[in-house]
Amino acid sequence: MAVGGSAVTAGKALPASPWPALWAMVIGFFMILVDSTIVSVATPAIMSDLDADVDAVVWVTSAYLLAYAVPLLITGRLGDRFGPGRVYLVGLTIFTLASLWCGLTGSIGALVAARVVQGLGASLMTPQTMAVITRTFPAETRGRAMSLWGAVAGVATLVGPILGGVLVDGLGWEWIFFINVPVGVIAFVLAVRLVPALETHVHKFDILGVVLSAIGMFLLVFGLQEGQAYDWGTIAGPISVWSLIGAGIVVMAVFLWWQARNKGEPLVTLALFRDRNFSLANVAITTVGFAITAMAFPLMFYAQGVMGLSPTRAALLLVPMAVISGVLALWVGRKTDQVHPRWLAGFGMLCFAASLFWAGAILRPGLPVWELLLPIALLGVANGFVWAPIATTATRNLPMSSAGSGAGIYNTTRQVGAVLGSAAIATLMASRIAANLPAAAAAGGGRAETGVAQLPPALHEGFATAMGQALYLPAAVLLIGFVAVASFAVPRHLAARRTAAAQPEPAPA
């Protein structure tokens, strides 16, 4: 029923506590984040079983990430129009059925197609979790909810590789997808029962904006994500990696121009960026997405190539990070509602950068495991202080009618940061290997391939140095994020609280 430009969704009244709804949605959010990393462990098994080469199997991950990242601006807006709970359930259904399809495929082409559908389902789900937090938790208590969201994101990066190793070794690669089916069914039932029907807002869909954003994001993400695979050169005929990236930038510039000129309802409300904290939080989360993705490659390559660990044992090195992050997350969430976010997020960003500089400086052959675990533990402290303050600050001042749109923008910038981190670290690792191991780089075509488990001992010194130097890049990028969070303005709820505290008490009659 349309009321004042919005449609009030008939259904369940808002519950007394929004926490059960958040827990129900977090299960699905955790599942899609795990799926972003779990496939990397199963890649050799998929290649062998489906008789696929490296170029084909890479698309099992690339297709998922493309289908996940490109529509985020659109899917966030869908939540505002049709309700975040409904869009989340549609995405969860698509994701779960696509997971079943992935496990049943018998060819690499069918698996890639199923992964595209799975990525679309994930893209529908992701912005809705943040939107529900924004719309059901009061601004002054939103930090605790965002801390759960952030802790889930941090733990999922660890669980993916470990769970993938256990399932592939014990049951076969198909089970990294089959396991999503019962989890998806449970998440669906809980979401139906616990997620309230929220007010929806009538929006006219900006068709031109949808087309421009989809084309521009695809060109940008594809070019950055696949650039290393094509040596940053020609893809086919006159089409090159850099021409795709350039075309993507031009299309996105046209998209932004149209959003500014559109007098109706643009896909992205640029007025959201007038909020200083929203703009700065998007800058900060881009650097965090960059660093989280980029740091994993040098650390895992070093652990397997120089320390001689299996993929699963190498992933276990990150256990201190996940445990410390999870323990700190709830405490930081409470403090986020009470303390200026620049102090919490700023401390986290400094710890993040320091841990990567530290790890990069100590990587060498024969490094004791305990010595590597120290900077990894500091990574856990950093993660505990970074996710909740940045996410809460991004959404704290958003109008309810734009909660989904804001969440879509925030998750898009995070994902673009991850793609940039993946592309940049691959190029830098190849460069550092060429500088420190020129003979090995020449033999391998200058690429940093994943076959590091058979690295000869004579190459360990140069390879460890190369991986350590590569870690300095995400550490430096995080300093940009530190400047952004250090510039946060005082959130409105804290400003209102301070104003109220400063009011003099009325004199007694």
Side-chain angles (χ1 to χ4, degrees), residues 75-102:
T75 57
R77 191 72 167 183
L78 288 173
D80 292 332
R81 174 62 182 85
F82 298 105
R86 290 176 178 172
V87 176
Y88 173 85
L89 289 172
V90 171
L92 180 59
T93 302
I94 293 173
F95 185 90
T96 304
L97 293 177
S99 297
L100 180 62
W101 180 13
C102 287

Side-chain angles (χ1 to χ4, degrees), residues 117-280:
V117 177
Q118 196 183 33
L120 289 172
S123 186
L124 285 165
M125 294 165 64
T126 298
Q128 315 315 327
T129 309
M130 282 187 69
V132 167
I133 293 173
T134 302
R135 294 177 64 176
T136 59
F137 284 83
E140 62 273 11
T141 63
R142 206 170 289 157
R144 292 173 60 196
M146 285 297 183
S147 70
L148 175 62
W149 185 86
V152 166
V155 173
T157 60
L158 169 70
V159 171
I162 296 175
L163 182 62
V166 171
L167 290 174
V168 171
D169 291 341
L171 298 171
W173 66 266
E174 298 90 348
W175 282 89
I176 67 173
F177 301 112
F178 285 151
I179 196 172
N180 289 336
V181 177
V183 176
V185 171
I186 293 170
F188 186 92
V189 172
L190 290 176
V192 168
R193 291 177 60 87
L194 300 175
V195 177
L198 299 173
E199 180 184 7
T200 59
H201 302 269
V202 175
H203 293 294
K204 295 178 181 179
F205 272 98
D206 177 11
I207 302 300
L208 180 57
V210 168
V211 173
L212 288 173
S213 71
I215 293 174
M217 285 294 296
F218 175 82
L219 293 173
L220 273 177
V221 174
F222 180 89
L224 293 169
Q225 186 171 287
E226 302 301 317
Q228 183 66 18
Y230 294 99
D231 290 327
W232 301 96
T234 301
I235 296 175
I239 301 174
S240 68
V241 171
W242 289 110
S243 67
L244 283 185
I245 294 174
I249 293 173
V250 170
V251 173
M252 289 306 293
V254 174
F255 167 72
L256 292 174
W257 172 83
W258 169 245
Q259 298 304 285
R261 291 290 300 271
N262 187 354
K263 301 302 182 184
E265 287 197 62
L267 178 65
V268 173
T269 307
L270 296 182
L272 295 179
F273 289 95
R274 294 174 187 163
D275 182 86
R276 173 176 164 182
N277 284 355
F278 181 77
S279 299
L280 291 172

Side-chain angles (χ1 to χ4, degrees), residues 19 22-23 26 141-156 320-338 344-345 347-348 377 379-392 396:
W19 282 100
L22 177 57
W23 276 106
V26 154
T141 63
R142 206 170 289 157
R144 292 173 60 196
M146 285 297 183
S147 70
L148 175 62
W149 185 86
V152 166
V155 173
M321 181 182 78
V323 172
I324 294 173
S325 174
V327 169
L328 284 174
L330 293 179
W331 180 83
V332 173
R334 287 193 297 271
K335 290 297 180 183
T336 300
D337 295 324
Q338 304 165 9
L344 299 171
F347 176 74
L379 273 173
V381 175
N383 271 272
F385 275 85
V386 161
W387 291 97
I390 296 177
T392 309
R396 186 91 75 176

Side-chain angles (χ1 to χ4, degrees), residues 228 231-232 298 301 422-438 440-442 444-449 463 466-467 469-470:
Q228 183 66 18
D231 290 327
W232 301 96
F301 273 41
S422 176
I425 202 66
T427 302
L428 183 60
M429 286 194 302
S431 169
R432 291 298 81 208
I433 289 173
N436 291 279
L437 298 169
R447 296 188 184 189
E449 300 290 356
F463 190 82
M467 295 303 100
Q469 292 170 347

Side-chain angles (χ1 to χ4, degrees), residues 12-146:
K12 296 169 284 188
L14 287 178
S17 172
W19 282 100
L22 177 57
W23 276 106
M25 297 185 78
V26 154
I27 296 173
F29 180 58
F30 179 80
M31 184 170 62
I32 62 178
L33 289 178
V34 166
D35 227 71
S36 300
T37 58
I38 197 171
V39 175
S40 60
V41 178
T43 297
I46 294 173
M47 289 177 63
S48 175
D49 195 37
L50 299 182
D51 193 24
D53 58 21
V54 172
D55 290 337
V57 82
V58 160
W59 274 99
V60 176
T61 297
S62 297
Y64 174 83
L65 293 176
L66 274 170
Y68 181 18
V70 169
L72 280 171
L73 288 175
I74 302 165
T75 57
R77 191 72 167 183
L78 288 173
D80 292 332
R81 174 62 182 85
F82 298 105
R86 290 176 178 172
V87 176
Y88 173 85
L89 289 172
V90 171
L92 180 59
T93 302
I94 293 173
F95 185 90
T96 304
L97 293 177
S99 297
L100 180 62
W101 180 13
C102 287
L104 295 174
T105 54
S107 69
I108 194 67
L111 180 57
V112 170
R115 288 283 280 170
V116 169
V117 177
Q118 196 183 33
L120 289 172
S123 186
L124 285 165
M125 294 165 64
T126 298
Q128 315 315 327
T129 309
M130 282 187 69
V132 167
I133 293 173
T134 302
R135 294 177 64 176
T136 59
F137 284 83
E140 62 273 11
T141 63
R142 206 170 289 157
R144 292 173 60 196
M146 285 297 183

